[in-house]
Amino acid sequence: MPPKKRNLDEVETPQSGSRRRSTRISSTGKKSSYFEAQDDVDDSDDADGPPPRKTTKTGANASRSKQRPQTPVSDDEDQYRDDDEDEEEIGDSDAFDEDDDSATPPPPPKSSAAKRGRGRPSKGSIGQSQTKKAQAKTPKSASKPGSGAKKRGPTTKTEIRDSDEDGDEVGDDDDDDEPKVTLIQLPKLRDTNGVEYEDTKVHPNTLLFLGDLKANNKRSWLKMHDPEYRRSLKDWESFVETLTEKIIEADETIPELPLKDVIFRIYRDIRFSKDPTPYKPHYSAAWSRTGRKGPYACYYVHVEPGHCLVGGGLWHPEASALARLRASVDERPHRIRRVLTDPEFVRVFLPHVVGKSEDKILKAFSDKNQENALKTKPKGFNPDHRDIHLLKLRNYTIGCQISEEDLHGDNAQEKIMTIIRAMVPFITFLNNVVMPDPGMDSDSEDEENGDEQDEQDEEDEKEEEEEDDE
């Protein structure tokens, strides 16, 4: 519809003393009141409905609003505004559901009493518009074709209830099942076969237990066979206790010590060992001036199925003790030669060289201690030394094996004491060199005899050289 032309005469002239009013056309859909005719103003006075709401303004806007004439809003304009609001609501709902082509019916038109003028809408109108939008979205989501929407609340509750019921059923089944219990009877003590336990010999059951322990070297196995272990340990302790008295009679330097200082424990230290087995499959004991530990040479008894041993000496001595032994061999070799070539010592420990030369006896002794011996001469010694094979040694030990029948017999301790008595001079020599008694030099007792022996050795060497020259 073309705009209505108006004459310039119809335009109201501003009153004197007031500010100049803008003649721009409003960008909104509402017509400016400055271009309306006086007749329209008169007609709008008779229109039904409340006057428009006044907005609060400050400063220049307030003065401008006072001079601006107030024109009522017509019904056509109210209807136009309502249509715009409906279009905005429909656009918001379509933003959430673009695929829905169905149009929702517009909300009913506002009553004339609810119509409001330009300005900020009231809180009540905002709440009503939000409620309408929510109502408009609900039927669209429900009417979407193929959406397959379900009410998640009840469905979820039902699934949880079913799972709870299934869990209860499983729990009831578990409660109904009786726990499986496996009964393992503890093994009974091995029969003695009519052989009584005695303090002067080792019972056969003790060696049988050690054999079983070697085949089943586990903590669980030993815990299950603890009664058998306790009985065998008691048999070994009683045997060591009676043997200690006889060793003290043979060597007066051995004191009376408690069993815990003489007997080695059966438990192994596996912290730095490649062997993970927790127990030693043997019983052993050592007697010295300080028991099984200390710097002194000792007597040693080892009981193991297939490997029973009686021996003694210095095993892995300290560096200072080893230096004293090498010095004694270098400076006074006749002392160690006299001990190692003793007839009783050779008969018991070196029977395969009985009646042989002295050098062969010394060589047989050094062969028994080649486990960790030096491959070259020790530092500070002549490689052409007469007793270089003795200077290379790091251990000075000796021993011989005995049979299991010897330990089971009535004279078991007598056979052990025969070996120990032949070893007393050897142990005494080692202790006098390594740890001499206070105020006593290890080489002062036989100094004169030693010098004479050295002179005799030199003469023998000269005679051998002359014979070789001839």
Side-chain angles (χ1 to χ4, degrees):
M1 180 179 180
K4 185 179 180 182
K5 298 182 179 179
R6 297 179 184 274
N7 297 326
L8 298 177
D9 297 338
E10 296 178 358
V11 180
E12 296 180 354
T13 59
Q15 299 178 2
S16 62
S18 62
R19 296 181 62 181
R20 184 178 178 180
R21 297 181 180 178
S22 175
T23 58
R24 294 182 301 173
I25 300 175
S26 176
S27 60
T28 60
K30 183 180 178 181
K31 296 181 179 180
S32 176
S33 61
Y34 305 112
F35 296 95
E36 293 179 358
Q38 187 67 26
D39 297 336
D40 295 337
V41 174
D42 296 338
D43 295 339
S44 63
D45 293 338
D46 298 336
D48 296 336
R53 183 179 179 183
K54 297 180 180 180
T55 58
T56 304
K57 297 183 180 179
T58 58
N61 294 334
S63 61
R64 187 179 300 173
S65 62
K66 290 180 181 180
Q67 297 178 3
R68 182 181 301 173
Q70 298 178 357
T71 57
V73 181
S74 64
D75 295 339
D76 296 337
E77 294 175 355
D78 292 340
Q79 184 66 26
Y80 181 78
R81 186 184 299 111
D82 294 339
D83 295 338
D84 293 340
E85 293 177 358
D86 294 340
E87 291 176 0
E88 292 176 0
E89 293 177 359
I90 295 172
D92 295 339
S93 62
D94 291 342
F96 293 94
D97 190 5
E98 296 178 359
D99 299 335
D100 186 23
D101 297 336
S102 61
T104 57
K110 296 181 182 179
S111 62
S112 60
K115 295 179 181 178
R116 308 189 67 87
R118 294 180 61 185
R120 183 177 181 181
S122 62
K123 296 181 179 179
S125 63
I126 296 174
Q128 292 177 0
S129 63
Q130 293 179 354
T131 304
K132 291 178 181 179
K133 292 180 180 181
Q135 292 177 356
K137 294 176 183 179
T138 303
K140 287 185 178 181
S141 61
S143 62
K144 182 183 290 186
S147 61
K150 296 181 181 181
K151 296 182 180 180
R152 294 187 176 276
T155 304
T156 305
K157 292 181 180 179
T158 304
E159 292 175 357
I160 294 172
R161 189 181 299 108
D162 295 340
S163 62
D164 293 341
E165 292 176 359
D166 296 339
D168 295 338
E169 293 176 0
V170 173
D172 296 340
D173 295 339
D174 294 341
D175 295 340
D176 296 339
D177 294 341
E178 295 182 358
K180 297 180 180 179
V181 179
T182 303
L183 299 178
I184 301 176
Q185 296 181 356
L186 292 176
K188 298 180 180 180
L189 291 174
R190 186 179 281 109
D191 190 10
T192 59
N193 296 324
V195 180
E196 299 294 336
Y197 283 85
E198 298 181 10
D199 298 341
T200 58
K201 60 182 179 181
V202 179
H203 199 276
N205 287 347
T206 300
L207 292 174
L208 292 176
F209 166 76
L210 293 175
D212 295 341
L213 178 61
K214 187 175 182 179
N216 305 277
N217 202 330
K218 299 178 182 179
R219 299 183 187 276
S220 58
W221 184 89
L222 184 62
K223 186 176 181 180
M224 186 178 298
H225 296 77
D226 185 70
E228 189 70 32
Y229 163 64
R230 298 297 175 184
R231 187 173 68 172
S232 65
L233 180 61
K234 185 178 179 181
D235 179 46
W236 172 246
E237 289 177 349
S238 61
F239 180 81
V240 171
E241 189 173 1
T242 56
L243 184 62
T244 302
E245 299 176 358
K246 297 178 181 180
I247 292 176
I248 292 174
E249 294 177 359
D251 190 352
E252 296 179 354
T253 61
I254 304 300
E256 294 183 4
L257 297 172
L259 289 175
K260 66 177 183 178
D261 295 338
V262 176
I263 296 176
F264 288 94
R265 299 180 64 189
I266 199 174
Y267 307 99
R268 294 183 63 251
D269 186 4
I270 60 175
R271 292 177 297 175
F272 309 103
S273 177
K274 296 181 180 179
D275 186 4
T277 54
Y279 306 110
K280 304 173 186 176
H282 61 264
Y283 286 134
S284 57
W287 295 263
S288 71
R289 296 185 184 184
T290 56
R292 57 186 173 89
K293 294 181 179 181
Y296 294 95
C298 66
Y299 305 97
Y300 180 75
V301 177
H302 181 97
V303 175
E304 183 179 357
H307 184 65
C308 298
L309 174 69
V310 178
L314 279 175
W315 175 260
H316 291 281
E318 297 179 357
S320 58
L322 187 60
R324 294 191 188 100
L325 281 171
R326 287 173 177 171
S328 177
V329 173
D330 180 40
E331 297 173 1
R332 297 176 178 86
H334 63 278
R335 300 193 181 281
I336 190 171
R337 284 173 171 269
R338 184 172 62 245
V339 171
L340 296 180
T341 56
D342 182 74
E344 186 66 17
F345 182 86
V346 175
R347 184 187 66 82
V348 174
F349 299 105
L350 304 171
H352 60 284
V353 292
V354 174
K356 300 291 182 68
S357 63
E358 183 176 307
D359 292 338
K360 291 185 178 180
I361 294 174
L362 297 178
K363 183 67 169 57
F365 173 80
S366 62
D367 291 342
K368 284 183 172 289
N369 293 275
Q370 290 295 321
E371 181 177 352
N372 60 342
L374 297 176
K375 295 182 179 180
T376 60
K377 68 177 185 66
K379 186 177 180 180
F381 292 94
N382 188 359
D384 298 332
H385 195 282
R386 179 182 179 183
D387 298 319
I388 190 63
H389 51 279
L390 294 177
L391 295 174
K392 292 180 180 180
L393 300 180
R394 290 182 179 178
N395 300 326
Y396 289 81
T397 60
I398 199 64
C400 65
Q401 292 188 0
I402 58 176
S403 62
E404 298 180 8
E405 290 74 12
D406 295 339
L407 294 175
H408 302 331
D410 296 335
N411 60 345
Q413 292 188 354
E414 289 298 329
K415 291 183 178 180
I416 293 175
M417 288 307 302
T418 301
I419 300 172
I420 290 177
R421 290 190 187 97
M423 196 169 23
V424 171
F426 176 68
I427 299 298
T428 303
F429 163 75
L430 294 176
N431 288 332
N432 289 338
V433 174
V434 176
M435 297 292 292
D437 294 336
M440 177 182 176
D441 188 6
S442 60
D443 295 334
S444 62
E445 296 179 358
D446 300 329
E447 185 175 357
E448 296 180 358
N449 296 334
D451 295 339
E452 294 177 358
Q453 184 68 27
D454 293 340
E455 293 177 358
Q456 185 66 31
D457 294 340
E458 292 177 358
E459 293 178 359
D460 295 339
E461 290 178 0
K462 290 180 181 179
E463 292 178 359
E464 291 178 358
E465 292 176 358
E466 292 177 357
E467 293 178 356
D468 295 339
D469 294 338
E470 293 178 356

